[in-house]
């Protein structure tokens, strides 16, 4: 993490990405969503279509699995949705899962369980273990409509 931080501060683009990862996952440095967010934003100024960086930024901003001690603002959630949607269009399974969660919860977008299911199913089918767990909460009702297990 130390060398990534030095490289990032010197303006090295790959260093920005690497230190963002270090902060996001707590690799060699204390985990910090706010520092990860800063460095992923800096990196994306140079590589705006990098689906993995968009995905990491989206997860740090929204923190759907409560990995960080972070207070969300509406602006952060909107930015997260934008980043996740952009990465999801590239086929990123983790971003598809996050977009699905936005639809499931009705955060930033209108709540739509069938759309949520579509995105989460894509994530599950493409290797996201969190999506595979989430998918178990969905079922078809007697009318063939996708619903959450705890809802009618």
């Amino acid at each position: 993490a130390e060398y990534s931080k030095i490289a990032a501060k010197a303006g090295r683009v790959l260093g920005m990405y690497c230190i963002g990862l270090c902060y996001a996952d707590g690799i060699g440095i204390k985990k910090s969503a706010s520092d990860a967010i800063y460095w992923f934003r800096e990196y994306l100024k140079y590589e705006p279509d990098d689906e993995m960086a968009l995905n990491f930024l989206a997860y740090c901003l929204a923190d759907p699995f409560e990995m960080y001690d972070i207070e969300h603002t509406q602006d952060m959630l909107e930015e997260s949705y934008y980043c996740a949607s952009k990465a999801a269009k590239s086929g990123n399974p983790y971003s598809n899962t996050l977009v699905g969660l936005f639809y499931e919860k009705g955060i930033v977008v209108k709540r739509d369980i069938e759309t949520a299911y579509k995105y989460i199913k894509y994530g599950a089918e493409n290797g996201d273990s969190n999506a595979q767990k989430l998918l178990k909460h969905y079922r078809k009702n007697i009318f063939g409509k996708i619903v959450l297990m705890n809802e009618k």
Side-chain angles (χ1 to χ4, degrees):
E2 180 182 342
Y3 294 113
S4 294
K5 194 173 195 178
I6 291 168
K9 285 184 175 184
R12 304 276 190 217
V13 177
L14 185 56
M16 295 172 191
Y17 181 82
C18 290
I19 195 62
L21 283 177
C22 291
Y23 277 120
D25 291 335
I27 301 169
I29 200 163
K30 185 178 181 203
K31 188 184 285 192
S32 169
S34 59
D35 288 324
I37 289 166
Y38 172 81
W39 286 112
F40 284 127
R41 282 177 175 157
E42 289 299 304
Y43 172 79
L44 287 164
K45 289 177 184 176
Y46 299 94
E47 299 291 341
D49 297 320
D50 185 319
E51 71 178 70
M52 288 306 295
L54 287 163
N55 177 69
F56 282 119
L57 177 56
Y59 270 88
C60 288
L61 288 163
D63 193 19
F65 302 110
E66 300 177 356
M67 296 171 47
Y68 310 103
D69 184 20
I70 189 169
E71 293 287 327
H72 308 290
T73 64
Q74 186 65 24
D75 288 343
M76 289 169 71
L77 293 171
E78 288 173 7
E79 183 181 359
S80 175
Y81 177 77
Y82 169 80
C83 292
S85 294
K86 187 173 179 181
K89 287 177 185 163
S90 298
N92 185 293
Y94 307 100
S95 292
N96 272 273
T97 302
L98 184 54
V99 170
L101 287 170
F102 275 105
Y103 278 101
E104 180 183 304
K105 306 295 183 198
I107 298 171
V108 179
V109 293
K110 186 175 185 270
R111 188 170 195 239
D112 184 334
I113 297 302
E114 294 209 20
T115 301
Y117 175 78
K118 178 185 83 169
Y119 279 104
I120 292 171
K121 183 177 181 209
Y122 181 90
E125 290 173 344
N126 290 280
D128 183 351
S129 61
N130 285 317
Q132 292 162 1
K133 292 173 196 160
L134 290 167
L135 203 55
K136 294 176 184 175
H137 298 280
Y138 289 85
R139 66 173 177 82
K140 282 189 179 182
N141 67 14
I142 61 171
F143 304 107
K145 184 178 178 184
I146 300 293
V147 295
L148 285 169
M149 295 283 263
N150 59 350
E151 295 180 0
K152 305 251 183 219

